[in-house]
Amino acid sequence: MSATPEACPHPSPETSPRVVVIGAGIVGCSLADELTARGWSDVTVLEQGPLPAPGGSTSHAPGLVFRTSPSKTLTEFARYTVEKFGSLSHDGVPCFAPVGGLELATTPERLAELHRRAGLAAAWGVRGEVVSTARCKELWPLLDESVVLGGFHTPEDGLARAVPACRAQLDRATARGARFLGRHTVTGVERADGRVTGVVTDRGVFPADHVVSAAGFWGPVIGRMAGVDVPLQPLAHQYARTRPLPELSGARAEATLPILRFQDADLYFREHHDRIGIGSYAHRPLPVDPFGVPGYEEARGRGMEMPSSYPFTEEDWAPSWADARRLLPALRGAEVESGFNGVFSFTPDGMPVLGEARELRGFWLAEAVWVTHSAGVARAVAEWMVDGRPSIDVHDCVVTRFEEAQRSPAYVRERGSQQFVEVYDVTHPLQPMERPRPLRVSPFHARQEQLGAFSLEGGGWERPHWYEANAPLLADLDAEPPERDPWSARYWSPVAAAEARATRERVALYDMTPLRRLEVTGPGALDFLDRMTTNKLRKKPGAVTYTLLLDETGGIRSDLTVARLAEDHFQIGANSPADLDHLLRHAPAEVHIRDITSGTCCVGVWGPLARALVQPLTGDDFSHEGFGYFRAKRTHIGHVPVTALRLSYVGELGWELYTTADLGLRLWDTLWEAGRELGVIAAGRSAFNSLRLEKGYRAWGTDMTTEHTPAEAGLGFAVRMDKGDFMGRDALRDRPEPTRRLTPLLLDDPAAVVLGSEPVSVDGTTAGYVTSAAYGYTLGRCVAYAWLPAGLAPGTGVHIEYFGEKVPATVAEEPLFDPEMTRIRR
């Protein structure tokens, strides 16, 4: 798509939906431009402050745009923002200055991190390179090169001029029919029959078919008016400008040097003609109550320049000023001319909050968005509203991603504040937040603690990754797993190798409780699920089916395991709260959908001795003939009623055993005691991930998303085009042959390891990126799956870039382990 959207022919007023956007900051203006470019001309943007600088975060934003992020989605948002703003100007002022970006390393650990960031940039298509100290000095002559070890230079990053960008897009949207109204304070959101109907202001009511909250740090305030929870925490962030510097005297341009990050001290720098602007994340978190932020006039009356500009706290600034002077000698004789604590938004996971609220149809969120990502977010939301879906995957931004346990004000405040602290930290992909923990635990938690569980956290759940009680099993290995580099050794233990081997050779218990479970009942349940998913579900009760949820274009929304427990009773293994939201949006009145995750629990019993463990505990036949693969049965394990599904995500014989949470501990103890003579162990997710990749089992959200089709992801077997109509079927029928595929790779060096998101080159050119990776302890090689061009034959050599090193790997044929499926089907 063009970076500058062309205006579509406007539909008539009778056909153009009425849209009210709350907030005329950079997101609201960008969204009005994107919507009107797509033909939605009846767009009203309401703003409580004066235009064009109404006093929100946009009005004070320093405008630094670094596109590279561990999130591919955020990188895509930022890339579009650069492209679009680079094509815009207002009153002769370009809306983007491509001065480049430079991130500095002053420690060996940061220099290694810059190599990793360079890999991320290559994986996501951003041009950049790690450069020497001398090159850093050339790019930024004011540096004290004695403290710099190197840098990461991205020549196409730069400065977004937010207010001119707002004006340019405001003018274009106005020319297409939109209107922008300043000095309109929103006081309410009208609704009827579960839909939004209008917005109430102090100057009248505005009827609406769609309302978009782009109110920035006021998002929770608007959300409360609509009865919609907005998990967002505003925080204040220090920004100061120096007095004129002799070294910059005579500067005619606003900025010519790259925007600069000194992340080891949590600082960034940019020019303001002959002054330097300095932003700091080094200070204590300064949370702001969004319900206590003054309006524009009230803020002025308090002596504030604008509502988002809080008084500068000198005591917080002193350490940052010392660090800034250490890096830039020109500041050692300089003074700070002005400073303020600017308010902007953080979420519990650091990502934006986007999408339509299910509890109020037609009410959309475009919140917690920084200038860096503003145009990209606006495009995605406009596509969502007009076309029904964004053109890129946004699953990690949807408002429905949060669990109920992650929505409390205390949780949002604590996690949002920690996100502020960690903005410039070197953060490992597996690194969990430390507080509040533990929050959600399975019924087995006490037993896991006794076994020395090392747990990480996801969705609020404590998830054991390995158990120290299994350390003695390392002595039984033929050889210990290869030593790891410090980065890949974080949040890893060689104990995982012992747990993987015990699963392959004996039997292990895996806590699968955090995996989402939905119950679907009612007389129309079968027809509904069959219409929503890709595989054949019209099977007798007791059948289990692996299937996919697609969107209208054939992209993979999720993968599901559907167990038909009775004629009109189904249990679904799903991925995220967004799956529940999607199904609820489409379910007819006679179909009832309930999330049963918190009230239930699950133990995976897997390994060649799994049958020997469970059969003596039940009166039902658990033989292969009596309980076939991908079958379900309600039975008892000892005294505990369970729903048993013969599934295996690790490629071994076994069952998923479900019961109610109150009986979970009894189930665990029953299995543990019965398994002692078989050598049963508890095993964690580190071994689990290794085993599932050896079998080539995909993880939705990591290996495939809405950007990928079943054929591309190697999941064509889960699609039955002959079963009748289902969502996405027409789009799949018209799809050409894939030009890319999810491809298994084996690293050539038995000691080499990669972790995911690394770029993959073919014949010296970056051709794709790694999704999932883990050491395959059974295979004696690291397994990596990557999106690569279709047609790469097994045996083809590639290279994976890992911290600047080219690691050789080879395209493999899948499944890598037990291709005949004999271990599962015995």
Side-chain angles (χ1 to χ4, degrees):
M1 178 180 292
S2 169
T4 305
E6 298 296 329
C8 298
H10 289 185
S12 67
E14 292 77 18
T15 60
S16 181
R18 298 168 300 176
V19 180
V20 174
V21 179
I22 302 173
I26 192 63
V27 178
C29 291
S30 297
L31 180 58
D33 183 46
E34 296 285 340
L35 285 171
T36 56
R38 288 165 174 78
W40 282 24
S41 57
D42 192 350
V43 176
T44 301
V45 183
L46 301 175
E47 175 54 60
Q48 67 169 343
L51 299 175
S57 300
T58 298
S59 301
H60 71 243
L64 282 69
V65 177
F66 288 91
R67 291 167 297 165
T68 304
S69 166
S71 165
K72 181 175 180 289
T73 302
L74 291 186
T75 300
E76 291 288 346
F77 287 160
R79 190 208 320 263
Y80 182 72
T81 300
V82 167
E83 292 173 357
K84 183 177 186 181
F85 291 0
S87 68
L88 297 176
S89 62
H90 181 75
D91 287 343
V93 178
C95 295
F96 185 78
V99 294
L102 180 62
E103 303 179 43
L104 300 177
T106 61
T107 65
E109 294 77 14
R110 180 67 64 177
L111 186 60
E113 166 71 359
L114 295 187
H115 280 285
R116 187 175 78 96
R117 288 182 62 77
L120 290 170
W124 310 147
V126 174
R127 188 162 69 95
E129 63 173 336
V130 176
V131 297
S132 67
T133 301
R135 179 59 177 152
C136 291
K137 179 71 171 178
E138 290 177 12
L139 292 166
W140 247 86
L142 302 186
L143 291 175
D144 180 350
E145 59 188 315
S146 70
V147 302
V148 177
L149 301 181
F152 174 47
H153 181 220
T154 46
E156 284 137 17
D157 287 342
L159 289 168
R161 297 184 174 99
V163 173
C166 284
R167 290 298 303 271
Q169 294 178 101
L170 182 155
D171 290 346
R172 296 200 317 182
T174 301
R176 301 181 192 125
R179 56 178 176 166
F180 290 74
L181 303 176
R183 306 286 190 175
H184 280 64
T185 299
V186 173
T187 59
V189 175
E190 293 187 332
R191 39 195 158 150
D193 300 322
R195 282 203 63 90
V196 69
T197 59
V199 175
V200 183
T201 76
D202 58 351
R203 299 175 69 176
V205 178
F206 295 82
D209 303 302
H210 297 273
V211 173
V212 185
S213 177
F217 54 76
W218 282 292
V221 179
I222 302 301
R224 181 175 292 182
M225 294 177 191
V228 173
D229 183 41
V230 181
L232 175 161
Q233 176 60 55
L235 286 108
H237 159 62
Q238 290 202 301
Y239 191 80
R241 293 193 194 194
T242 68
R243 294 189 183 278
L245 300 178
E247 291 82 356
L248 298 178
S249 63
R252 295 187 178 182
E254 178 187 6
T256 58
L257 301 177
I259 50 177
L260 185 67
R261 277 176 167 170
F262 180 18
Q263 289 149 303
D264 290 322
D266 293 314
L267 296 173
Y268 63 82
F269 304 83
R270 58 153 293 181
E271 296 168 279
H272 292 280
H273 295 283
D274 59 354
R275 295 162 170 80
I276 296 289
I278 308 167
S280 172
Y281 294 100
H283 55 83
R284 62 193 167 96
L286 299 168
V288 173
D289 178 5
F291 295 89
V293 177
Y296 190 88
E297 294 302 333
E298 182 185 354
R300 303 283 289 200
R302 293 188 193 178
M304 299 164 62
E305 184 179 348
M306 62 184 80
S308 62
S309 179
Y310 274 48
F312 195 60
T313 50
E314 293 283 355
E315 65 276 14
D316 292 308
W317 177 249
S320 294
W321 185 230
D323 285 330
R325 288 172 157 183
R326 177 165 62 91
L327 181 70
L328 304 178
L331 299 181
R332 293 170 189 171
E335 295 179 353
V336 171
E337 181 177 63
S338 63
F340 64 95
N341 290 1
V343 182
F344 63 140
S345 305
F346 286 82
T347 59
D349 59 5
M351 299 293 286
V353 178
L354 311 179
E356 185 185 27
R358 183 173 49 80
E359 58 266 51
L360 183 59
R361 302 294 178 90
F363 184 81
W364 296 78
L365 296 173
E367 297 291 10
V369 181
W370 296 5
V371 171
T372 299
H373 311 115
S374 55
V377 164
R379 178 181 67 169
V381 174
E383 291 171 338
W384 213 338
M385 296 174 69
V386 175
D387 304 326
R389 70 182 292 274
S391 58
I392 66 170
D393 170 63
V394 296
H395 81 272
D396 50 2
C397 301
V398 296
V399 62
T400 51
R401 71 187 182 271
F402 293 108
E403 304 279 354
E404 191 63 31
Q406 298 173 303
R407 291 178 171 270
S408 72
Y411 184 96
V412 172
R413 179 186 175 99
E414 190 163 6
R415 287 289 173 100
S417 297
Q418 189 61 27
Q419 289 292 337
F420 177 91
V421 170
E422 295 183 0
V423 162
Y424 282 167
D425 284 3
V426 177
T427 305
H428 194 276
L430 294 176
Q431 182 173 325
M433 289 282 187
E434 295 302 321
R435 298 184 309 273
R437 290 182 62 192
L439 183 62
R440 306 176 78 185
V441 297
S442 78
F444 325 130
H445 181 68
R447 300 293 185 262
Q448 293 165 344
E449 290 288 286
Q450 292 168 4
L451 294 171
F454 181 89
S455 294
L456 301 180
E457 181 259 358
W461 288 100
E462 294 297 309
R463 301 184 178 198
H465 272 241
W466 67 84
Y467 296 85
E468 288 300 329
N470 294 325
L473 299 178
L474 286 169
D476 298 332
L477 297 178
D478 298 331
E480 282 205 27
E483 289 190 12
R484 292 196 172 197
D485 65 273
W487 183 253
S488 64
R490 292 183 67 185
Y491 307 105
W492 172 85
S493 168
V495 171
E499 293 179 359
R501 179 169 177 174
T503 306
R504 291 277 188 240
E505 295 183 353
R506 298 194 304 278
V507 61
L509 304 184
Y510 287 82
D511 182 0
M512 305 302 290
T513 300
L515 299 185
R516 183 162 303 278
R517 291 171 292 286
L518 309 178
E519 180 184 72
V520 181
T521 58
L526 175 60
D527 289 342
F528 166 66
L529 290 174
D530 200 47
R531 186 173 66 254
M532 294 296 294
T533 65
T534 60
N535 213 336
K536 290 184 177 180
L537 301 184
R538 297 187 182 279
K539 303 171 184 177
K540 294 180 180 180
V544 181
T545 306
Y546 177 79
T547 188
L548 306 174
L549 283 176
L550 304 183
D551 64 19
E552 292 81 356
T553 69
I556 303 172
R557 285 190 60 101
S558 189
D559 61 344
L560 308 177
T561 302
V562 180
R564 190 176 190 187
L565 304 181
E567 288 293 326
D568 299 319
H569 185 182
F570 295 82
Q571 178 175 304
I572 296 178
N575 285 295
S576 80
D579 293 343
L580 173 63
D581 177 78
H582 178 65
L583 293 172
L584 286 172
R585 287 177 183 272
H586 291 86
E590 68 272 15
V591 174
H592 308 288
I593 305 173
R594 188 165 65 100
D595 189 328
I596 60 172
T597 309
S598 297
T600 56
C601 59
C602 177
V603 182
V605 185
W606 291 316
L609 300 182
R611 183 175 287 116
L613 173 55
V614 298
Q615 183 63 84
L617 300 174
T618 179
D620 285 300
D621 184 0
F622 269 57
S623 69
H624 183 61
E625 296 74 21
F627 197 155
Y629 188 53
F630 263 75
R631 299 291 298 172
K633 184 179 293 189
R634 283 174 164 167
T635 183
H636 287 79
I637 298 295
H639 296 92
V640 180
V642 302
T643 299
L645 274 57
R646 190 172 167 195
L647 305 176
S648 173
Y649 206 52
V650 299
E652 295 292 337
L653 170 69
W655 288 265
E656 294 177 356
L657 302 177
Y658 297 88
T659 192
T660 52
D662 60 322
L663 291 167
L665 189 58
R666 183 61 178 262
L667 174 62
W668 180 278
D669 288 345
T670 300
L671 294 167
W672 188 260
E673 289 302 318
R676 283 184 182 275
E677 63 183 25
L678 301 174
V680 70
I681 68 162
R685 293 190 68 85
S686 187
F688 176 88
N689 203 42
S690 169
L691 297 170
R692 72 103 178 164
L693 280 175
E694 289 183 333
K695 281 298 293 181
Y697 294 149
R698 278 65 164 147
W700 184 84
T702 301
D703 296 316
M704 71 279 190
T705 68
T706 54
E707 295 182 3
H708 310 109
T709 66
E712 292 173 331
L715 297 175
F717 67 88
V719 179
R720 300 301 177 92
M721 296 293 288
D722 60 348
K723 76 162 190 168
D725 191 31
F726 58 84
M727 185 174 290
R729 181 177 182 272
D730 291 343
L732 291 186
R733 185 181 54 205
D734 298 334
R735 284 267 186 171
E737 281 295 307
T739 59
R740 60 178 177 177
R741 291 190 186 276
L742 189 61
T743 305
L745 305 174
L746 284 175
L747 274 61
D748 294 352
D749 182 352
V753 174
V754 298
L755 299 182
S757 298
E758 297 89 358
V760 182
S761 58
V762 179
D763 296 330
T765 301
T766 300
Y769 60 91
V770 174
T771 58
S772 294
Y775 198 86
Y777 300 109
T778 316
L779 303 174
R781 292 284 192 282
C782 182
V783 180
Y785 272 77
W787 282 104
L788 291 171
L792 294 180
T796 301
V798 302
H799 286 88
I800 303 173
E801 184 177 328
Y802 183 72
F803 286 92
E805 299 293 326
K806 300 289 187 181
V807 179
T810 302
V811 174
E813 189 168 1
E814 61 177 344
L816 306 173
F817 175 79
D818 188 26
E820 302 301 322
M821 302 284 284
T822 56
R823 300 177 71 91
I824 292 177
R825 299 178 182 275
R826 55 184 167 187

